[in-house]
Every structure is written in C-alpha cells, then in structure tokens.
Amino acid sequence: LISLAELSEKEVHDILERAVFWASQKDHELPESLKSLSKPIVCNLFFEPSTRTRFSFEVAAKKLNLHVLNFDYKSSSAQKGETFYDTIRTLESMGVGIAIVRSSEEYLLSEIADKIKTTSLINAGAGMSEHPTQALLDMLTIKEEFGSFKGLKVSIIGDVKHSRVARSSLHALHRFGAKVSLCGPDIFIPDNSAFPFKMDVLDLETALNSADIVMLLRIQNERHNISLGHYREQFGLTSSRVQLMQPHARIMHPAPFNRGVEIDDELVESERSLIFKQVANGVAVRMAVLERAFNLK
Ligand code: CP
C-alpha cells in the first residue's frame, strides 16, 4: 500500500469493514490463513520519528500473531552507505513478508516497488506526499461518528501545505463525497492547482461554523524554517472559538498535537474531540492493512 489512489472504492470499504471487525474482537481466533502463513514477519523501517504509526503497526502485527522486527537506522548498514533498495532486498532475502516504511523522501517506495517481488511494502508516511493508513483511520473514525462521507463538510485548518496527512485525507474524503475546505496562514495554504479538484479557502470563523468536522494540523517545523508567532491567537482552536462550531461538529487531529498552539489543552480530551479515538482506530485499520498485504482474506 504505497498510495491511497491505488485502492478502488470497494477496496477502501473492504479495509474499513475489516477494521470494524478487528476493532470488535477482544480475544479473537486468528483466521486459518494467518495461522498457515509462510512468511509471518513484518519489519518497521522508520527513517523519521513516530509514536502512533510505528507502535500501532507493531501492536496490530502482534495482535495478528506476526513477528515484528524494528529496524534501527542509526545502528544499521545504511550508516555504511547501503542503499534503501539494498536494505529492502536484504530483508526480502531473509524472508520478511512486509516492510513498513516511513521516510522523508516522497518516492522511495514507488521507485523500488517493481523490483521487490515477495515483500509487501506499506507506506507509513512519505515526506509531504502521502500517509495512507492515517487517511484510512481518519475515514474509519468519521464513518463511525457520522455514518457516511457524502455531503459532510470538513475544514482542514493549519499547515496544509507541508502535511502528508492533509494530502492523503483530503483526496480520500473528496473521493467519497465530502466537501473539503482549507483554512490557515496564507503561507501554509497550497496552490489549488496542486489538486485535481477545487477547494475553498475559508476565514477561521467560517471554517469553524460551517464544518461537521474540524481537522486541525500541527505546524510541520521539521519541513521548513517558517517561524510564526501568535499562531494560537490567529488560527488556534481556543476554548472560546470552539463555541463557533455547530453542536454536532467534531474535532480531529492526526497528532502529535501541540497543546496551547493549534488546540487548547482542555479541548484535546473534550467530548467533541475524536483525537484518541483516531489513535485507537489506527490499530484496527493497520490490522486490516497488514492482513490485506498478506492477501489473507
Ligand atoms: N499521526 C502520525 O503519523 O503520528 P506519528 O508521527 O507519531 O506516527
């Protein structure tokens, strides 16, 4: 799973449905296909920091009875100049079934995918381009809360330009019938020509009072040197601004979040917030994605 665009609508629905199944299982019996797996080893290769994605893939794999290897970049032969292709090819030769990769490079996986025959590749976040499993877990969370995507109004607020989460999620939501609008400092709003569909750019008040879902984003300081003072005052979701939202509207954030910057501390775990539900759904979605990668269903 390198890009969400490679999935048909049916495949997205299947993954979400399977994630609902896994989320409902407590002491589950594994499917026979998982028990008889010939290469039940997955490897996490994270070249960028992560808490949620890395550990939820690990938890998901362990719940499926898979063996997990964690690649440590700093102590690996990448330090001696080994290329990414040779690293994956080496793991493939050892019998690793799935490589889960996070990188700051956008095309790392697509460049080698054709040459790797027996190890499935999963994108766990690539530069500013894509984060497909985050988009899937966001979709699952929205589906659980609202039932469907059609006609939903989603305001994405923050550093949209440098966010792979925004890029994956806005494509997915648009494809399934939601209306996505953007809001944030001009410098963080991408040119609309970067997208195959038109998105409105709203002022903060309209973004908040028109939305069913307010999706907040962190400023991606690791991707640029833009320093903004007064972000909370200008674009933060504060305890007073939250009153502008409709009563049924919900807050989402892929996290990590900065309490007191893009969202006030007391809103993170408020009744309106789906943030930790998103994290929980990440495990079920990644179980479904791992299962699909092993072609088990
Ligand atoms: N949302 C997300 O990708 O979080 P991590 O960077 O902690 O994995």
Side-chain angles (χ1 to χ4, degrees):
L1 176 59
I2 293 175
S3 164
L4 214 58
E6 78 194 46
L7 299 178
S8 66
E9 286 190 20
K10 180 180 179 319
E11 284 176 307
V12 172
H13 281 302
D14 286 349
I15 289 172
L16 298 184
E17 205 172 285
R18 198 62 184 161
V20 169
F21 166 78
W22 285 120
S24 70
Q25 301 294 300
K26 290 282 177 266
D27 300 311
H28 56 262
E29 178 73 11
L30 287 177
E32 285 306 317
S33 51
L34 266 175
K35 290 183 191 163
S36 61
L37 208 56
S38 65
K39 290 178 25 167
I41 303 172
V42 306
C43 184
N44 276 323
L45 295 101
F46 279 60
F47 297 89
E48 275 194 346
S50 168
T51 297
R52 273 145 293 274
T53 312
R54 184 185 142 181
F55 286 108
S56 66
F57 264 117
E58 185 160 350
V59 170
K62 287 182 169 160
K63 284 184 169 217
L64 293 175
N65 238 8
L66 305 171
H67 302 290
V68 183
L69 307 179
N70 281 300
F71 174 84
D72 176 19
Y73 174 63
K74 289 204 173 111
S75 63
S76 76
S77 286
Q79 298 294 338
K80 296 181 246 173
E82 187 159 58
T83 64
F84 177 66
Y85 169 73
D86 286 331
T87 302
I88 298 291
R89 190 69 190 85
T90 300
L91 295 172
E92 183 180 41
S93 305
M94 291 175 187
V96 168
I98 301 179
I100 301 156
V101 180
R102 168 166 292 189
S103 161
S104 55
E105 291 182 41
E106 303 190 351
Y107 303 105
L108 206 56
L109 290 182
S110 50
E111 278 167 2
I112 67 159
D114 284 350
K115 293 187 275 184
I116 300 296
K117 304 293 181 208
T118 64
T119 299
S120 296
L121 304 175
I122 297 180
N123 179 353
M128 297 191 292
S129 67
E130 286 236 34
H131 194 347
T133 57
Q134 178 72 44
L136 288 165
L137 75 85
D138 287 348
M139 291 181 80
L140 177 61
T141 309
I142 291 170
K143 195 162 182 239
E144 282 180 348
E145 198 67 20
F146 291 93
S148 86
F149 307 100
K150 202 143 197 73
L152 275 184
K153 291 187 177 158
V154 182
S155 291
I156 303 184
I157 303 176
D159 184 359
V160 183
K161 189 170 184 174
H162 304 98
S163 169
R164 57 192 172 211
V165 173
R167 213 148 271 123
S168 279
S169 290
L170 63 85
H171 273 284
L173 290 167
H174 173 79
R175 195 166 156 205
F176 283 82
K179 175 162 174 40
V180 180
S181 302
L182 308 180
C183 172
D186 290 345
I187 201 155
F188 290 153
I189 299 297
D191 192 297
N192 223 126
S193 63
F195 302 99
F197 50 91
K198 171 111 183 63
M199 279 174 294
D200 293 333
V201 178
L202 306 176
D203 62 76
L204 184 58
E205 188 173 332
T206 313
L208 293 176
N209 68 26
S210 64
D212 301 299
I213 297 157
V214 169
M215 193 179 279
L216 303 172
L217 298 175
R218 178 177 66 85
I219 299 173
Q220 308 280 302
N221 288 313
E222 67 276 34
R223 310 214 185 277
H224 54 70
N225 296 317
I226 302 163
S227 163
L228 286 186
H230 312 297
Y231 183 87
R232 176 180 179 272
E233 286 69 25
Q234 292 176 323
F235 288 98
L237 185 61
T238 62
S239 297
S240 59
R241 283 192 185 125
V242 80
Q243 311 298 333
L244 295 170
M245 288 171 59
Q246 300 176 70
H248 73 275
R250 294 288 175 264
I251 302 165
M252 295 178 72
H253 193 314
F257 40 77
N258 294 301
R259 293 180 189 248
V261 182
E262 67 268 16
I263 181 167
D264 273 4
D265 186 19
E266 57 271 33
L267 299 180
V268 172
E269 292 167 75
S270 66
E271 280 187 3
R272 280 180 181 279
S273 168
L274 302 176
I275 293 173
F276 285 99
K277 187 124 198 30
Q278 289 172 263
V279 176
N281 281 339
V283 173
V285 158
R286 287 166 179 134
M287 289 174 82
V289 168
L290 289 170
E291 192 184 22
R292 172 182 177 271
F294 277 124
N295 203 13
L296 295 173
K297 288 203 304 166

